[in-house]
Coordinates of all heavy atoms in Angstrom, one line a residue:
M1 N 104.0 146.7 107.2 CA 102.6 146.2 107.0 C 102.7 145.1 106.1 O 101.6 144.5 105.6 CB 101.6 147.3 106.5 CG 100.3 146.8 106.5 SD 99.0 147.8 105.7 CE 99.5 147.8 104.0
G2 N 103.8 144.6 105.6 CA 103.8 143.5 104.7 C 104.0 142.2 105.4 O 104.7 141.3 104.8
S3 N 103.2 141.9 106.4 CA 103.3 140.6 107.0 C 102.6 139.6 106.2 O 101.7 139.9 105.5 CB 102.7 140.7 108.6 OG 101.3 140.7 108.4
K4 N 103.0 138.4 106.5 CA 102.5 137.2 105.8 C 101.0 137.0 106.0 O 100.2 136.8 105.1 CB 103.2 136.0 106.1 CG 102.9 134.8 105.3 CD 103.7 133.5 105.8 CE 104.7 133.2 104.9 NZ 105.4 131.9 105.1
L5 N 100.5 137.3 107.2 CA 99.2 137.2 107.6 C 98.3 138.3 106.9 O 97.2 138.0 106.4 CB 99.0 137.3 109.1 CG 97.6 137.2 109.7 CD1 96.8 135.8 109.2 CD2 97.5 137.3 111.2
N6 N 98.9 139.4 106.9 CA 98.2 140.6 106.1 C 98.0 140.3 104.7 O 97.0 140.4 104.1 CB 98.9 141.9 106.2 CG 98.7 142.5 107.7 OD1 98.1 141.9 108.5 ND2 99.3 143.6 107.8
N7 N 99.0 139.7 104.0 CA 99.0 139.3 102.7 C 98.0 138.2 102.5 O 97.3 138.2 101.5 CB 100.4 139.0 102.2 CG 101.4 140.1 102.1 OD1 100.9 141.3 102.1 ND2 102.7 139.8 102.2
E8 N 97.9 137.3 103.3 CA 97.1 136.1 103.1 C 95.6 136.6 103.3 O 94.7 136.3 102.5 CB 97.3 135.0 104.1 CG 98.6 134.2 103.9 CD 98.6 133.5 102.6 OE1 97.6 133.1 102.1 OE2 99.8 133.3 102.1
I9 N 95.4 137.6 104.1 CA 94.0 138.1 104.4 C 93.6 138.8 103.1 O 92.5 138.7 102.5 CB 93.9 139.0 105.6 CG1 94.1 138.3 106.8 CG2 92.6 139.9 105.6 CD1 94.2 139.0 108.1
L10 N 94.5 139.7 102.5 CA 94.2 140.5 101.3 C 94.0 139.5 100.2 O 93.0 139.7 99.3 CB 95.3 141.5 100.9 CG 95.4 142.7 101.8 CD1 96.7 143.5 101.6 CD2 94.1 143.6 101.7
D11 N 94.7 138.4 100.1 CA 94.5 137.5 99.0 C 93.2 136.7 99.0 O 92.5 136.6 98.2 CB 95.6 136.3 99.0 CG 97.1 137.0 98.5 OD1 97.0 138.0 97.9 OD2 98.1 136.2 98.8
A12 N 92.8 136.4 100.4 CA 91.5 135.7 100.5 C 90.3 136.7 100.2 O 89.5 136.2 99.5 CB 91.4 135.1 101.9
L13 N 90.5 137.9 100.6 CA 89.4 138.8 100.3 C 89.3 139.2 98.8 O 88.2 139.4 98.2 CB 89.6 140.2 101.1 CG 89.4 139.9 102.7 CD1 89.6 141.1 103.4 CD2 87.8 139.4 102.9
S14 N 90.5 139.2 98.1 CA 90.5 139.6 96.6 C 89.8 138.4 95.9 O 89.2 138.6 94.9 CB 92.0 139.7 96.2 OG 92.5 140.9 96.8
E15 N 90.1 137.1 96.3 CA 89.6 136.0 95.6 C 88.1 135.7 95.9 O 87.5 135.2 95.0 CB 90.4 134.7 96.0 CG 91.8 134.5 95.6 CD 92.5 133.4 96.1 OE1 91.9 132.5 96.7 OE2 93.8 133.6 96.1
N16 N 87.7 136.0 97.0 CA 86.4 135.7 97.5 C 85.4 136.8 97.6 O 84.2 136.6 97.8 CB 86.4 135.0 98.8 CG 87.1 133.7 98.8 OD1 86.7 132.7 98.1 ND2 88.2 133.6 99.4
G17 N 85.9 138.1 97.4 CA 84.9 139.2 97.6 C 84.7 139.6 99.0 O 85.7 139.6 99.8
E18 N 83.5 139.6 99.5 CA 83.3 139.8 100.9 C 83.3 138.5 101.6 O 82.6 137.5 101.2 CB 82.0 140.6 101.0 CG 81.6 141.1 102.3 CD 80.4 142.1 102.3 OE1 80.5 143.2 101.9 OE2 79.4 141.6 102.8
L19 N 83.9 138.6 102.8 CA 83.9 137.3 103.7 C 83.5 137.7 105.1 O 83.8 138.7 105.6 CB 85.3 136.8 103.7 CG 85.8 136.0 102.4 CD1 87.3 135.6 102.6 CD2 84.9 134.7 102.2
A20 N 82.8 136.7 105.7 CA 82.4 136.9 107.1 C 83.8 136.4 107.9 O 84.6 135.7 107.4 CB 81.3 135.9 107.4
L21 N 83.7 137.0 109.1 CA 84.9 136.8 110.0 C 85.0 135.1 110.1 O 86.2 134.6 110.1 CB 84.8 137.3 111.3 CG 85.9 137.3 112.2 CD1 87.1 137.8 111.6 CD2 85.6 138.0 113.6
K22 N 84.0 134.4 110.3 CA 84.1 133.0 110.5 C 84.7 132.3 109.3 O 85.5 131.4 109.3 CB 82.7 132.3 110.9 CG 82.3 132.6 112.3 CD 81.0 131.9 112.5 CE 80.5 132.2 113.9 NZ 79.3 131.4 114.3
E23 N 84.3 132.7 108.0 CA 84.8 132.2 106.8 C 86.3 132.5 106.7 O 87.1 131.7 106.3 CB 84.0 132.8 105.6 CG 82.7 132.3 105.6 CD 81.9 133.2 104.5 OE1 82.1 134.4 104.4 OE2 81.0 132.6 103.9
L24 N 86.7 133.7 107.1 CA 88.1 134.2 107.0 C 88.9 133.4 108.0 O 90.0 132.9 107.7 CB 88.2 135.7 107.4 CG 89.5 136.4 107.0 CD1 89.8 136.1 105.6 CD2 89.3 137.9 107.3
Y25 N 88.5 133.1 109.3 CA 89.1 132.2 110.2 C 89.4 130.9 109.5 O 90.5 130.3 109.6 CB 88.3 132.1 111.4 CG 88.3 133.1 112.5 CD1 87.2 133.3 113.3 CD2 89.3 134.0 112.5 CE1 87.1 134.3 114.2 CE2 89.3 135.1 113.5 CZ 88.3 135.2 114.4 OH 88.2 136.2 115.2
K26 N 88.4 130.3 109.0 CA 88.6 128.9 108.4 C 89.6 128.9 107.3 O 90.4 128.0 107.2 CB 87.2 128.4 107.7 CG 87.3 127.1 107.2 CD 86.0 126.4 106.9 CE 86.0 125.2 106.3 NZ 87.1 124.3 106.4
I27 N 89.6 129.9 106.3 CA 90.6 129.9 105.3 C 92.0 130.1 106.0 O 93.0 129.3 105.5 CB 90.2 131.1 104.4 CG1 89.0 130.9 103.6 CG2 91.4 131.4 103.3 CD1 88.4 132.1 102.8
L28 N 92.1 131.0 107.0 CA 93.5 131.1 107.4 C 93.9 130.2 108.3 O 95.1 129.8 108.2 CB 93.5 132.5 108.2 CG 93.1 133.7 107.4 CD1 93.0 134.9 108.3 CD2 94.3 134.0 106.4
F29 N 93.1 129.5 109.1 CA 93.5 128.4 110.0 C 93.9 127.1 109.2 O 94.6 126.4 109.7 CB 92.4 128.1 111.1 CG 92.1 129.3 111.9 CD1 91.0 129.3 112.8 CD2 93.0 130.3 112.1 CE1 90.7 130.4 113.6 CE2 92.7 131.4 112.9 CZ 91.6 131.4 113.7
D30 N 93.3 126.9 108.0 CA 93.5 125.8 107.2 C 94.9 126.0 106.2 O 95.2 125.1 105.6 CB 92.4 125.5 106.3 CG 91.2 125.0 107.1 OD1 91.3 124.6 108.2 OD2 90.1 124.9 106.6
N31 N 95.3 127.2 106.3 CA 96.5 127.5 105.4 C 97.8 127.0 106.2 O 98.2 127.5 107.2 CB 96.5 129.1 105.3 CG 97.6 129.5 104.3 OD1 98.6 128.9 104.0 ND2 97.3 130.7 103.7
P32 N 98.5 126.2 105.5 CA 99.7 125.6 106.0 C 100.9 126.5 105.9 O 101.8 126.3 106.5 CB 100.0 124.3 105.0 CG 99.3 124.7 103.7 CD 98.2 125.5 104.1
N33 N 100.8 127.6 105.2 CA 101.8 128.6 105.1 C 101.9 129.5 106.4 O 103.0 130.2 106.5 CB 101.7 129.5 103.8 CG 101.8 128.6 102.6 OD1 102.5 127.6 102.5 ND2 101.1 129.1 101.6
L34 N 100.8 129.5 107.1 CA 100.8 130.3 108.2 C 101.1 129.7 109.6 O 100.5 128.5 109.8 CB 99.4 131.1 108.4 CG 99.0 132.1 107.3 CD1 97.6 132.5 107.6 CD2 100.0 133.2 107.2
D35 N 102.0 130.1 110.4 CA 102.3 129.5 111.6 C 101.6 130.2 112.7 O 102.1 131.2 113.4 CB 103.9 129.6 111.8 CG 104.2 128.8 113.1 OD1 103.5 127.9 113.6 OD2 105.3 129.1 113.7
L36 N 100.3 130.0 112.9 CA 99.5 130.7 114.0 C 99.4 129.8 115.2 O 98.9 128.6 115.1 CB 98.1 130.9 113.4 CG 98.1 132.0 112.3 CD1 96.6 131.9 111.8 CD2 98.5 133.3 112.7
Q37 N 99.8 130.2 116.3 CA 99.7 129.5 117.6 C 98.2 129.4 118.0 O 97.5 130.4 117.9 CB 100.6 130.0 118.7 CG 102.0 130.1 118.4 CD 102.7 130.7 119.6 OE1 102.2 131.0 120.6 NE2 104.0 130.7 119.5
E38 N 97.7 128.3 118.5 CA 96.4 128.0 118.8 C 95.9 129.0 119.8 O 94.7 129.4 119.7 CB 96.2 126.7 119.4 CG 94.8 126.1 119.6 CD 94.1 125.9 118.3 OE1 94.7 125.5 117.3 OE2 92.9 126.1 118.3
S39 N 96.6 129.4 120.8 CA 96.1 130.3 121.9 C 95.9 131.8 121.4 O 95.2 132.4 122.0 CB 97.1 130.3 123.1 OG 98.3 130.7 122.7
T40 N 96.5 132.2 120.4 CA 96.5 133.5 120.0 C 96.1 133.8 118.5 O 96.0 134.8 118.1 CB 97.8 134.3 120.1 OG1 98.9 133.5 119.3 CG2 98.3 134.2 121.6
K41 N 95.7 132.8 117.8 CA 95.4 132.9 116.4 C 94.2 133.8 116.1 O 94.3 134.6 115.2 CB 95.2 131.5 115.7 CG 94.1 130.7 116.1 CD 94.2 129.4 115.4 CE 93.1 128.3 115.9 NZ 93.3 127.1 115.2
K42 N 93.1 133.8 116.8 CA 92.0 134.7 116.6 C 92.4 136.1 116.9 O 92.0 137.0 116.1 CB 90.7 134.3 117.4 CG 90.0 133.0 116.8 CD 88.8 132.8 117.6 CE 88.0 131.5 117.0 NZ 86.7 131.3 117.7
H43 N 93.1 136.4 118.0 CA 93.5 137.6 118.2 C 94.5 138.2 117.1 O 94.2 139.3 116.7 CB 94.2 137.6 119.5 CG 95.0 139.0 119.9 ND1 94.3 140.1 120.2 CD2 96.2 139.3 119.8 CE1 95.1 141.1 120.4 NE2 96.3 140.7 120.1
R44 N 95.3 137.5 116.6 CA 96.3 137.9 115.6 C 95.5 138.2 114.3 O 95.7 139.1 113.7 CB 97.4 136.9 115.4 CG 98.3 136.7 116.5 CD 99.6 136.1 116.2 NE 100.2 136.6 115.0 CZ 100.9 135.9 114.0 NH1 101.1 134.6 114.3 NH2 101.4 136.5 113.0
V45 N 94.5 137.4 113.9 CA 93.6 137.7 112.7 C 92.9 139.0 113.0 O 92.9 139.9 112.1 CB 92.8 136.6 112.5 CG1 91.7 136.9 111.4 CG2 93.5 135.3 112.0
R46 N 92.2 139.2 114.1 CA 91.5 140.4 114.4 C 92.5 141.7 114.5 O 92.2 142.7 113.9 CB 90.8 140.3 115.7 CG 89.6 139.4 115.6 CD 88.6 139.5 116.8 NE 89.2 139.4 118.0 CZ 89.5 138.2 118.7 NH1 89.1 137.1 118.1 NH2 90.2 138.2 119.9
S47 N 93.6 141.5 115.0 CA 94.7 142.5 115.0 C 95.0 142.9 113.6 O 95.3 144.1 113.2 CB 95.9 142.1 115.8 OG 96.8 143.0 115.7
A48 N 95.3 141.8 112.8 CA 95.8 142.1 111.2 C 94.5 142.9 110.5 O 94.7 143.7 109.7 CB 96.0 140.8 110.7
L49 N 93.3 142.4 110.8 CA 92.2 143.1 110.1 C 92.1 144.6 110.6 O 91.9 145.4 109.8 CB 90.9 142.4 110.5 CG 90.7 141.0 110.0 CD1 89.5 140.4 110.6 CD2 90.5 141.1 108.5
Y50 N 92.3 144.8 112.0 CA 92.3 146.2 112.3 C 93.4 147.0 111.6 O 93.2 148.2 111.2 CB 92.4 146.3 113.9 CG 92.6 147.7 114.4 CD1 91.4 148.4 114.5 CD2 93.6 148.3 114.8 CE1 91.3 149.7 115.0 CE2 93.8 149.4 115.2 CZ 92.6 150.3 115.4 OH 92.7 151.5 115.9
N51 N 94.7 146.5 111.6 CA 95.8 147.1 111.0 C 95.4 147.5 109.5 O 95.7 148.5 109.0 CB 97.0 146.2 111.1 CG 98.2 146.8 110.4 OD1 98.2 147.0 109.2 ND2 99.2 147.0 111.2
L52 N 94.9 146.5 108.8 CA 94.5 146.7 107.4 C 93.5 147.8 107.2 O 93.4 148.5 106.2 CB 94.1 145.4 106.7 CG 95.2 144.4 106.5 CD1 94.6 143.0 106.1 CD2 96.2 144.8 105.5
Q53 N 92.6 147.9 108.1 CA 91.5 148.9 108.1 C 92.1 150.2 108.3 O 91.7 151.2 107.7 CB 90.4 148.6 109.1 CG 89.3 147.6 108.8 CD 88.5 147.4 110.0 OE1 88.8 147.2 111.2 NE2 87.1 147.4 109.6
Q54 N 93.0 150.3 109.3 CA 93.7 151.6 109.5 C 94.5 152.1 108.3 O 94.7 153.4 108.1 CB 94.6 151.5 110.7 CG 93.9 151.2 112.1 CD 93.0 152.4 112.4 OE1 93.3 153.5 112.4 NE2 91.7 152.0 112.5
H55 N 95.0 151.2 107.5 CA 95.7 151.6 106.3 C 94.8 151.6 105.0 O 95.4 151.7 104.0 CB 96.9 150.6 106.1 CG 98.0 150.8 107.1 ND1 98.1 150.1 108.2 CD2 99.1 151.6 107.0 CE1 99.2 150.5 108.9 NE2 99.7 151.5 108.2
E56 N 93.6 151.5 105.3 CA 92.4 151.6 104.3 C 92.7 150.6 103.0 O 92.4 150.9 102.0 CB 92.4 153.1 103.7 CG 92.0 154.1 104.7 CD 91.9 155.5 104.2 OE1 92.4 155.7 103.1 OE2 91.4 156.3 105.0
K57 N 93.2 149.4 103.5 CA 93.3 148.3 102.5 C 92.0 147.5 102.5 O 91.7 146.8 101.3 CB 94.5 147.3 102.8 CG 95.8 148.0 102.8 CD 96.3 148.4 101.4 CE 97.6 149.0 101.6 NZ 98.0 149.6 100.3
I58 N 91.4 147.5 103.6 CA 90.1 146.7 103.7 C 89.0 147.5 104.4 O 89.4 148.6 105.0 CB 90.2 145.3 104.3 CG1 90.5 145.5 105.9 CG2 91.1 144.4 103.7 CD1 90.5 144.2 106.7
E59 N 87.7 147.2 104.3 CA 86.7 147.9 105.0 C 85.6 146.8 105.5 O 85.5 145.7 104.9 CB 86.1 148.9 104.1 CG 85.5 148.3 102.9 CD 85.1 149.5 101.8 OE1 85.6 150.6 101.9 OE2 84.3 149.2 101.1
R60 N 84.9 147.3 106.4 CA 83.9 146.4 106.9 C 82.7 146.5 106.0 O 82.3 147.7 105.5 CB 83.4 146.7 108.4 CG 84.5 146.5 109.3 CD 83.9 146.4 110.7 NE 82.9 145.5 110.8 CZ 82.4 145.2 112.0 NH1 82.9 145.6 113.1 NH2 81.4 144.4 112.1
G61 N 82.2 145.3 105.6 CA 81.0 145.4 104.7 C 79.7 145.2 105.4 O 78.6 145.5 104.9
G62 N 79.7 144.8 106.7 CA 78.5 144.6 107.5 C 78.9 144.1 108.9 O 80.1 144.2 109.3
D63 N 78.0 143.5 109.4 CA 78.2 142.8 110.6 C 79.3 141.6 110.6 O 79.0 140.6 109.9 CB 76.9 142.2 111.3 CG 76.0 143.2 111.8 OD1 76.6 144.4 112.0 OD2 74.9 143.0 112.0
A64 N 80.5 141.8 110.9 CA 81.5 140.8 110.9 C 81.9 140.3 109.6 O 82.3 139.2 109.4 CB 81.2 139.6 111.9
T65 N 81.7 141.2 108.5 CA 82.1 141.0 107.1 C 83.2 142.0 106.7 O 83.0 143.2 107.1 CB 80.9 140.8 106.2 OG1 80.3 142.1 106.2 CG2 79.9 139.8 106.6
Y66 N 84.0 141.4 105.9 CA 85.1 142.3 105.4 C 85.3 142.3 103.9 O 84.9 141.1 103.3 CB 86.4 142.0 106.1 CG 86.4 142.2 107.6 CD1 86.0 141.3 108.5 CD2 86.7 143.5 108.1 CE1 85.9 141.4 109.8 CE2 86.6 143.7 109.5 CZ 86.2 142.7 110.3 OH 86.1 142.9 111.7
R67 N 85.8 143.2 103.3 CA 86.0 143.3 101.8 C 87.2 144.2 101.5 O 87.6 145.1 102.3 CB 84.8 143.7 101.0 CG 84.4 145.0 101.3 CD 83.1 145.5 100.5 NE 82.7 146.7 100.8 CZ 81.4 147.0 101.3 NH1 80.6 146.0 101.3 NH2 81.1 148.2 101.6
V68 N 87.9 144.1 100.3 CA 89.0 145.0 100.0 C 88.4 146.3 99.8 O 87.3 146.4 99.2 CB 89.7 144.5 98.8 CG1 90.7 145.3 98.2 CG2 90.3 143.0 99.0
S69 N 89.0 147.3 100.2 CA 88.6 148.7 100.1 C 88.6 149.2 98.7 O 89.4 148.8 97.9 CB 89.5 149.6 101.0 OG 89.1 151.0 100.9
D70 N 87.6 150.1 98.4 CA 87.6 150.6 97.0 C 88.5 151.9 96.8 O 88.7 152.3 95.8 CB 86.0 151.2 96.7 CG 85.0 150.0 96.7 OD1 85.5 148.9 96.4 OD2 83.9 150.3 97.0
K71 N 89.1 152.2 98.0 CA 89.9 153.5 97.9 C 91.3 153.2 97.4 O 91.8 152.2 97.3 CB 90.1 154.0 99.3 CG 88.8 154.5 99.9 CD 88.9 155.0 101.3 CE 87.6 155.4 101.9 NZ 87.7 155.9 103.2

């Protein structure tokens, strides 16, 4: 679970609190450290979000918003 994308998502949520999915996309797609292919980048982000939710690292805050889990 220590992927670079997961770490970048956790960092973005830690710095900004709760983020909408569109805001998270913008932060991650503008990040030069991530090598996301154009055709699969949204899928990879959603997959990483699901993975982080399963490991109780993040939680949904509302409609298409995410935040770091309190657990």
Side-chain angles (χ1 to χ4, degrees):
M1 191 186 66
S3 81
K4 187 181 256 189
L5 180 56
N6 287 2
N7 291 336
E8 292 294 333
I9 290 171
L10 287 172
D11 288 345
L13 292 173
S14 295
E15 290 175 15
N16 298 294
E18 188 171 283
L19 286 173
L21 186 57
K22 286 184 179 184
E23 296 169 319
L24 197 52
Y25 282 155
K26 181 166 176 24
I27 291 169
L28 296 172
F29 298 165
D30 292 344
N31 187 332
N33 296 328
L34 295 175
D35 183 26
L36 297 172
Q37 293 182 7
E38 190 67 32
S39 62
T40 61
K41 62 185 178 182
K42 285 186 177 181
H43 171 75
R44 290 202 46 217
V45 170
R46 289 190 309 269
S47 177
L49 288 169
Y50 179 77
N51 182 297
L52 290 168
Q53 284 180 308
Q54 293 300 305
H55 287 90
E56 297 181 346
K57 299 290 183 184
I58 65 170
E59 57 190 25
R60 290 200 52 174
D63 290 341
T65 60
Y66 296 88
R67 64 178 173 237
V68 175
S69 179
D70 295 335
K71 297 177 184 180

